Amino acid sequence: MKILVTGGTGYIGSHTVVELQQKGYQVVVIDNLSNSNEAVLDNISKITGIRPDFECFDLIERERTLDFFSRNSDITGVIHFAAFKAVGESVAEPLKYYRNNLVSLMNILEGMQLNKVPFLVFSSSCTVYGQPEELPVSETSPIQKAFSPYGNTKQISEEIIGDFLETSDVKCIALRYFNPIGAHESSLIGELPLGIPNNLVPFITQTAIGLRSQLKVFGNDYNTPDGTPIRDYIHVVDLAKAHVIAIERMTNGNNKKALEVFNLGTGNGQTVLEVIKSFEKVSGEKLNYVIVERRAGDVEKVWADTRFANAELGWKAAMSLDEMTLSAWNWEKAIANK
Ligand code: UD1
């Protein structure tokens, strides 16, 4: 079975390509390389022995996207990762985010419709829940007004898909990710942030390796056990595996609705200081960090109710926080040595 992975040279995309290939799927990747590197494909092939087919173009180009689908109408499923994801940048450049994240989705849906490609897996985010009133947060918790244009593109995308499915035979599973971290055990693929990382774990590993002088911990006056915010960190390989299961669920006809939504997290919350402690333990490095003011837009605490995903998908995140921080550190060391 042939699966299109958009954004397949990116962080979660590359790990998902590996899991798909290892399950016997043929993979074709579309990526415009705006935040990734073609060499990722070589590293995927070092892991799996197969270099995925690759087309480099921008999915906001409607004609090119439709042309791709007309040439590849044998595709069974699309896993759509390709999107911008930097929260702060989306506040500064909202149109860039709306255009990229929404137009590309609409072009893909149109291409799927025209060529009868039946199944879509969509990358959504726990950001759609904002600061939930009740924790853990389940799939039926209310969607809150988005904190950023980035978050809004995820909410609007889910709505676009929902409306589109009313008029189409396409089926979709939207996966709401909590905080993906870590890297493949081979240390051949991982997160490759361009410039200064926005996210916690790449900032930790880049500080420890000497690329950044100091980690800023954004606030320790939250209502949490140590005062720092709580997130549900999940290993990127656990996350990637859920995408393969989502494809299998639809191809086996086990989906119960045209649009199903699942939370992908571990079900456990960890504070920023707990992540730092785990990193220091597994790496043996002392991290240089300082507590500073809160970061605008950060929620206090969020972690997933994973019961629905566990029961329906037969999937459960397996890796511990220490395994996550160790794999992230091994990856940082591997890229430093190149
Ligand atoms: C954010 C977005 C999420 C998006 C994800 C990927 C929100 C609310 N969340 O997640 O939707 O999918 O990025 O880009 O918009 N921290 C520090 N110092 C740092 C960096 C982070 O203390 O240098 C803290 C943050 O305050 C937060 C935690 O680490 O408490 C995790 O932050 P981060 O990795 O940026 O992820 P989120 O903000 O949770």
Side-chain angles (χ1 to χ4, degrees):
M1 250 183 239
K2 185 159 144 190
I3 306 293
L4 165 63
V5 180
T6 76
T9 56
Y11 174 44
I12 308 173
S14 58
H15 289 82
T16 301
V17 171
V18 166
E19 296 303 316
L20 284 165
Q21 289 183 328
Q22 288 180 335
K23 285 268 181 175
Y25 290 93
Q26 184 192 344
V27 177
V28 52
V29 167
I30 298 176
D31 203 303
N32 66 358
L33 303 178
S34 64
N35 192 22
S36 62
N37 192 316
E38 199 172 342
V40 169
L41 299 169
D42 298 326
N43 290 335
I44 288 173
S45 72
K46 282 183 196 151
I47 300 170
T48 63
I50 308 159
R51 196 177 200 274
D53 293 338
F54 175 57
E55 296 205 19
C56 182
F57 67 89
D58 199 321
L59 291 153
I60 68 172
E61 291 180 47
R62 179 168 172 268
E63 298 310 323
R64 285 199 72 166
T65 305
L66 296 185
D67 173 63
F68 171 85
F69 276 99
S70 66
R71 286 184 286 108
N72 292 274
S73 54
D74 55 338
I75 286 174
T76 305
V78 179
I79 307 183
H80 178 39
F81 293 105
F84 293 152
K85 60 163 190 170
V87 175
E89 185 187 49
S90 79
V91 176
E93 296 182 75
L95 297 184
K96 176 176 166 181
Y97 271 67
Y98 286 116
R99 184 175 299 112
N100 186 65
N101 292 6
L102 301 181
V103 174
S104 57
L105 171 67
M106 291 189 283
N107 290 341
I108 288 166
L109 293 175
E110 188 177 357
M112 292 179 71
Q113 169 101 316
L114 288 172
N115 295 283
K116 303 197 169 17
V117 176
F119 305 123
L120 173 69
V121 178
F122 177 70
S123 293
S124 190
S125 168
C126 71
T127 195
V128 303
Y129 300 119
Q131 176 58 68
E133 276 174 24
E134 279 176 33
L135 287 163
V137 61
S138 78
E139 291 82 353
T140 52
S141 300
I143 302 293
Q144 308 236 26
K145 181 169 166 39
F147 276 47
S148 69
Y150 157 74
N152 210 16
T153 68
K154 292 297 174 190
Q155 295 189 3
I156 297 171
S157 293
E158 287 193 13
E159 289 176 9
I160 290 173
I161 292 168
D163 289 344
F164 168 76
L165 296 185
E166 298 283 333
T167 68
S168 143
D169 294 330
V170 173
K171 304 277 182 288
C172 176
I173 292 180
L175 299 174
R176 292 180 179 156
Y177 312 149
F178 283 67
N179 285 58
I181 60 169
H184 194 264
E185 60 176 358
S186 64
S187 298
L188 286 165
I189 54 172
E191 192 168 3
L192 268 176
L194 281 188
I196 302 171
N198 294 301
N199 297 114
L200 177 64
V201 170
F203 210 108
I204 289 176
T205 56
Q206 288 198 6
T207 304
I209 208 99
L211 291 172
R212 311 278 153 215
S213 55
Q214 191 176 48
L215 170 78
K216 294 186 175 73
V217 173
F218 298 130
N220 68 349
D221 56 351
Y222 288 94
N223 182 24
T224 63
D226 63 25
T228 61
I230 296 179
R231 297 286 182 274
D232 186 336
Y233 296 93
I234 173 166
H235 198 293
V236 67
V237 172
D238 278 331
L239 196 74
K241 287 183 172 153
H243 293 73
V244 182
I245 292 171
I247 287 284
E248 282 166 356
R249 178 175 173 88
M250 292 188 286
T251 55
N252 291 336
N254 291 337
N255 48 312
K256 294 181 178 153
K257 291 192 294 186
L259 173 60
E260 294 185 310
V261 177
F262 296 102
N263 282 345
L264 296 186
T266 63
N268 300 312
Q270 267 113 6
T271 68
V272 174
L273 293 180
E274 283 169 343
V275 176
I276 293 173
K277 277 197 200 100
S278 162
F279 171 79
E280 289 184 328
K281 184 174 91 183
V282 300
S283 68
E285 301 283 328
K286 187 92 196 78
L287 192 74
N288 182 15
Y289 68 88
V290 61
I291 310 285
V292 300
E293 291 295 295
R294 292 181 178 199
R295 179 171 71 176
D298 272 346
V299 300
E300 181 166 273
K301 47 190 161 191
V302 59
W303 65 93
D305 184 335
T306 60
R307 283 175 299 180
F308 186 57
N310 297 160
E312 284 292 320
L313 298 177
W315 165 92
K316 201 173 188 346
M319 282 187 261
S320 68
L321 180 61
D322 287 352
E323 288 171 298
M324 300 183 215
T325 52
L326 179 60
S327 66
W329 179 231
N330 288 339
W331 163 244
E332 189 70 62
K333 287 190 293 186
I335 48 179
N337 286 332
K338 282 219 175 103

